[in-house]
Amino acid sequence: MKNLISKNDSIFVAGHNGLAGSAICRALKKFGYKNILTVSREELDLREQSKVKNWFKGNNPDIVIIAAAKVGGILANSTYPYDFIIENIQIQTNVIESAFLNSVKRLLFLSSSCAYPKKCSQPIREEYLLSDYLEKTNENYALAKIVGMKFCEALRKQKKFDAFSLMPTNLYGPNDNYQDNESHVFASLIKKFVTAEINNHDHVVCWGDGSPKREFLHVDDLADASVFCLEKFQFDLNNSPFLNIGTGKDISILDLAILIKNKVGFKGSIFWDKTKPNGTPLKRLDITRIEKLGWKSKISLEEGIEKTIKDFKKNINLSF
């Protein structure tokens, strides 16, 4: 199958310093793409429409990947709902519109499985989008992502603009956010157990009751899938222009905590704070469509946990 993008294309990765963006840059380089455009937030605030439009006119990228977003866990989403909806809508709208106006060849928008309704049939298929109400603890982030996806879909249908979206499940790996009030569950558990083990604590407190089930994807697998889809996947107007990206396997938060605890070597106890929210009870993606195209995840959860622990320790100047 002929590649839909060229090794000579200039590729703008918005959000190149983040979890997903940095992984996508690594993958692009691995696959031989050398003309990668990046810009820091200090140089270009993607929330400012006129500056984004001027940047596109001056740099003329061929391909655009939108990995830039304001992200965070349950606490951050609940505390700053305005920030999550306004900043994400501004970022994605400015970049998508500027890409269209500057005749970009292909655009990939990274959405999130958070955009699916709270009580979906499992596993979650792409057509379940907007079939029911959203999880309240991340509603504003999810709404912003839905707006971005529908913007891409509308441009594709009305203007024949080659924009599509990927719906990754819960991501983890290098460059994750470990801030206490902003991190997602995977990064939070890694930090809790590593720091507890180092400081000889006798217990770790985790949110909720541990019953929710989640699917986790190493960010390098997402990056691999992103390049694969840019190269190989052509949507037609009869299909919704987005794809689920995941492993097809889930695990309870309780079992994940125990797994991380054992990988870290922490000997203390786990206490569950049931006054804190659980979030969506169950979320596992149907990955039939992406697998039929020929892509599968490669990094197992155990291997990914080990890699992430090493990366976290390295970045806080610690060693085994």
Side-chain angles (χ1 to χ4, degrees):
M1 184 186 297
K2 182 181 178 181
N3 280 1
L4 299 171
I5 62 174
S6 165
K7 293 292 193 294
N8 296 320
D9 284 334
S10 60
I11 304 175
F12 173 43
V13 181
H16 71 287
N17 282 325
L19 174 64
S22 59
I24 289 171
C25 286
R26 293 194 299 272
L28 287 169
K29 293 173 183 176
K30 181 179 75 174
F31 288 110
Y33 295 92
K34 298 179 180 178
N35 193 4
I36 302 171
L37 302 177
T38 60
V39 60
S40 70
R41 185 167 182 169
E42 290 71 30
E43 297 170 300
L44 176 64
D45 189 334
L46 297 175
R47 298 171 299 179
E48 298 187 26
Q49 184 183 56
S50 61
K51 291 182 179 179
V52 174
K53 287 185 174 180
N54 289 336
W55 186 91
F56 268 82
K57 288 178 182 178
N59 290 274
N60 296 308
D62 299 305
I63 309 296
V64 170
I65 302 169
I66 305 177
K70 180 175 179 61
V71 298
I74 288 176
L75 178 60
N77 274 271
S78 300
T79 306
Y80 306 108
Y82 169 78
D83 294 348
F84 274 88
I85 195 166
I86 190 65
E87 290 188 29
N88 281 305
I89 287 178
Q90 287 173 333
I91 289 167
Q92 62 205 30
T93 302
N94 291 340
V95 176
I96 294 168
E97 183 184 30
S98 293
F100 165 66
L101 294 174
N102 284 272
S103 302
V104 164
K105 293 198 308 184
R106 299 207 87 188
L107 180 142
L108 164 56
F109 172 62
L110 281 186
S111 184
S112 167
S113 59
C114 292
Y116 284 118
K118 177 178 182 176
K119 294 184 178 180
C120 271
S121 298
Q122 301 290 319
I124 303 171
R125 300 170 64 178
E126 285 88 350
E127 53 264 39
Y128 295 166
L129 186 73
L130 294 174
S131 63
D132 206 336
Y133 61 89
L134 299 166
E135 162 61 41
K136 285 294 183 182
T137 56
N138 59 18
E139 183 178 52
N140 289 278
Y141 175 76
L143 285 169
K145 286 298 185 180
I146 292 169
V147 168
M149 295 170 66
K150 286 299 181 179
F151 190 16
C152 289
E153 186 175 19
L155 280 171
R156 187 174 194 87
K157 183 176 181 180
Q158 183 176 339
K159 301 293 185 179
K160 307 300 185 288
F161 180 54
D162 190 4
F164 67 96
S165 306
L166 297 184
M167 303 277 281
T169 190
N170 300 274
L171 299 174
Y172 69 96
N175 286 334
D176 208 341
N177 186 346
Y178 292 97
Q179 296 296 318
D180 290 338
N181 294 330
E182 299 175 7
S183 62
H184 289 99
V185 62
F186 200 102
S188 175
L189 292 175
I190 292 286
K191 181 177 181 180
K192 283 176 185 288
F193 284 107
V194 170
T195 54
E197 191 269 335
I198 290 167
N199 293 304
N200 295 314
H201 293 163
D202 61 4
H203 72 277
V204 161
V205 178
C206 299
W207 276 32
D209 61 15
S211 65
K213 288 189 173 183
R214 293 289 184 272
E215 177 184 7
F216 294 97
L217 180 73
H218 194 282
V219 72
D220 286 342
D221 270 341
L222 168 67
D224 184 74
S226 298
V227 177
F228 175 86
C229 290
L230 281 167
E231 291 181 341
K232 306 296 184 185
F233 189 42
Q234 182 63 67
F235 290 90
D236 61 52
L237 292 178
N238 295 319
N239 292 323
S240 296
F242 57 93
L243 275 175
N244 288 339
I245 308 295
T247 65
K249 301 174 183 177
D250 58 19
I251 184 173
S252 72
I253 301 303
L254 186 150
D255 287 339
L256 176 67
I258 293 172
L259 190 55
I260 291 174
K261 170 189 171 182
N262 291 338
K263 291 291 184 183
V264 168
F266 178 64
K267 304 301 183 185
S269 302
I270 302 175
F271 294 155
W272 293 93
D273 183 354
K274 297 178 182 179
T275 66
K276 298 296 192 295
N278 276 327
T280 302
L282 181 62
K283 189 168 66 173
R284 176 166 56 89
L285 298 182
D286 185 315
I287 53 173
T288 302
R289 290 180 69 194
I290 186 67
E291 288 191 334
K292 283 183 177 178
L293 290 171
W295 184 88
K296 286 187 177 182
S297 62
K298 300 178 180 67
I299 302 172
S300 70
L301 182 59
E302 290 207 9
E303 179 188 357
I305 289 173
E306 292 169 358
K307 287 184 174 183
T308 306
I309 291 169
K310 289 180 181 178
D311 179 75
F312 178 72
K313 287 190 171 185
K314 179 182 68 176
N315 284 302
I316 57 172
N317 297 316
L318 297 170
S319 60
F320 284 101

